[in-house]
Amino acid sequence: MGKYKIKIGIIAGCGLDKSFKEDLTYFSKIEREDATNEYGLPSSSLYTGTISGVDVVLLIRHGSGYKVSATDVNYRANIEAFRVVGCTHILATTACGSLVKLFSKEQLVIPDSFIDRTVHRKGTFYDGTSKYYSGICNLPMEPSFDPHTSQIVENAAKKLEISIKKGATIVAIEGPRFSSKAESYMFRQWGGHLINMTTCPEVFLAKEAGILYTSIAMVTDYDCGSDDIADNVHPVDVFNVFKRNINKIKSVLIQTIELISQEDWDQRIDDLKVFYIDLVKSSVT
Ligand code: ADE
């Protein structure tokens, strides 16, 4: 065994929680109140157990029964809850719209960059209030998503013969409304491929916390459509398409967890925790 014990956090989006709870036996549940940390209450209790012998912690992004809007998700409390219980990785799942023809409905995509259009969220742990996250931290955002964990997700899907595409820029909007036609057009001109409401600040908070993060995005709609795609996102379709594909996402997650457990992650975790974050911090002190 390596220096770090692998523990994988799963962020369940859009109904994935129910399916996971039905199919997997969790050894214990850390009540939401008990998972409270200096950033407040996470979205849900933490469901902890093992999959293929690997420690797993499941958190429901929008709360049990979809009660918390994307704006109101306490992203800092969620990521901190994962850090406190010792997660080395986070596999986030998300529904998203597609801004390009390349990614059609029901396609799984692993993003590799983002455009942050959120405005009402706390986007850093380094705001001077924490003992653990002390000082200032100007973290580089390339790579934004952990490339090796992303590679493992792709390998897992390929092993299962499930179509997945790796490499896309995801635009995270504030919501709760969807984009206007003009905004959607602009995001496409900017180079956005996918669009959702939750990737930011999740992806960069995980990086600040020293956790290897990647995302499995399921295309549920074409946002406002385009010249050659007549479509208009509707929340009912988002839920229905995601739900229809939950087994696919679950299989990829389970296979990914198994493949992650077969790797030695010490160097990659050290690169992020020690070399990357500590060096970035010490460079400004
Ligand atoms: N989630 C799923 N589809 C979306 C879209 N078109 N815009 C923002 N978030 C989404």
Side-chain angles (χ1 to χ4, degrees):
M1 202 179 81
K3 183 163 92 180
Y4 297 102
K5 183 163 168 48
I6 297 305
K7 191 179 263 196
I8 302 175
I10 297 174
I11 302 182
C14 233
L16 182 74
D17 54 312
K18 286 197 194 79
S19 155
F20 250 90
K21 279 198 250 162
E22 274 161 23
D23 291 306
L24 297 170
T25 311
Y26 283 91
F27 292 129
S28 62
K29 176 169 132 181
I30 303 174
E31 296 294 344
R32 201 174 161 218
E33 289 68 24
D34 297 331
T36 301
N37 50 66
E38 61 179 297
Y39 298 99
L41 268 176
S43 300
S44 75
S45 300
L46 304 181
Y47 300 90
T48 67
T50 59
I51 293 174
S52 310
V54 186
D55 289 339
V56 172
V57 181
L58 179 88
L59 181 141
I60 305 158
R61 185 188 284 114
H62 295 280
S64 203
Y66 210 85
K67 290 194 198 90
V68 190
S69 78
T71 293
D72 291 332
V73 168
N74 190 339
Y75 296 92
R76 292 200 301 182
N78 286 354
I79 300 296
E80 182 66 355
F82 283 127
R83 188 193 67 77
V84 167
V85 297
C87 285
T88 51
H89 298 69
I90 292 176
L91 304 174
T93 61
T94 179
C96 67
S98 169
L99 300 170
V100 291
K101 256 205 311 206
L102 177 67
F103 302 129
S104 49
K105 263 190 207 180
E106 315 214 357
Q107 177 68 54
L108 287 178
V109 188
I110 308 162
D112 66 352
S113 196
F114 64 82
I115 296 174
D116 185 5
R117 290 276 299 170
T118 65
V119 287
H120 296 307
R121 307 173 187 189
K122 299 227 165 90
T124 183
F125 288 116
Y126 291 91
D127 64 357
T129 62
S130 167
K131 276 205 191 104
Y132 181 79
Y133 299 97
S134 63
I136 287 169
C137 186
N138 304 118
L139 213 53
M141 277 297 113
E142 179 54 32
S144 307
F145 298 79
D146 179 56
H148 197 60
T149 310
S150 299
Q151 184 59 56
I152 301 273
V153 174
E154 186 185 28
N155 295 349
K158 289 214 162 124
K159 202 164 171 199
L160 298 168
E161 298 184 352
I162 291 173
S163 170
I164 197 158
K165 296 202 159 112
K166 187 158 71 66
T169 295
I170 188 158
V171 181
I173 59 168
E174 183 59 56
R177 67 171 179 82
F178 291 104
S179 305
S180 69
K181 190 169 68 176
E183 288 167 334
S184 193
Y185 177 78
M186 177 180 75
F187 297 145
R188 196 173 312 121
Q189 299 304 306
W190 284 1
H193 305 110
L194 304 174
I195 184 162
N196 79 345
M197 298 183 194
T198 55
T199 292
C200 300
E202 215 170 74
V203 56
F204 41 85
L205 288 173
K207 197 164 186 178
E208 283 190 352
I211 304 175
L212 301 168
Y213 176 104
T214 195
S215 175
I216 304 173
M218 155 68 50
V219 176
T220 54
D221 59 273
Y222 295 107
D223 207 33
C224 299
S226 59
D227 289 347
D228 35 17
I229 302 171
D231 202 40
N232 215 336
V233 58
H234 193 289
V236 171
D237 301 333
V238 170
F239 272 92
N240 287 343
V241 173
F242 198 85
K243 249 196 206 150
R244 251 204 324 271
N245 287 281
I246 268 175
N247 284 340
K248 207 157 85 176
I249 298 171
K250 233 173 61 183
S251 310
V252 173
L253 282 170
I254 291 167
Q255 185 66 52
T256 299
I257 290 163
E258 201 172 318
L259 293 184
I260 284 177
S261 73
Q262 292 166 11
E263 303 254 328
D264 182 346
W265 292 89
D266 285 356
Q267 190 59 51
R268 294 177 202 283
I269 295 168
D270 275 344
D271 281 352
L272 186 59
K273 273 191 202 292
V274 183
F275 175 73
Y276 208 31
I277 295 177
D278 289 355
L279 202 68
V280 166
K281 278 170 67 178
S282 65
S283 69
V284 292
T285 52

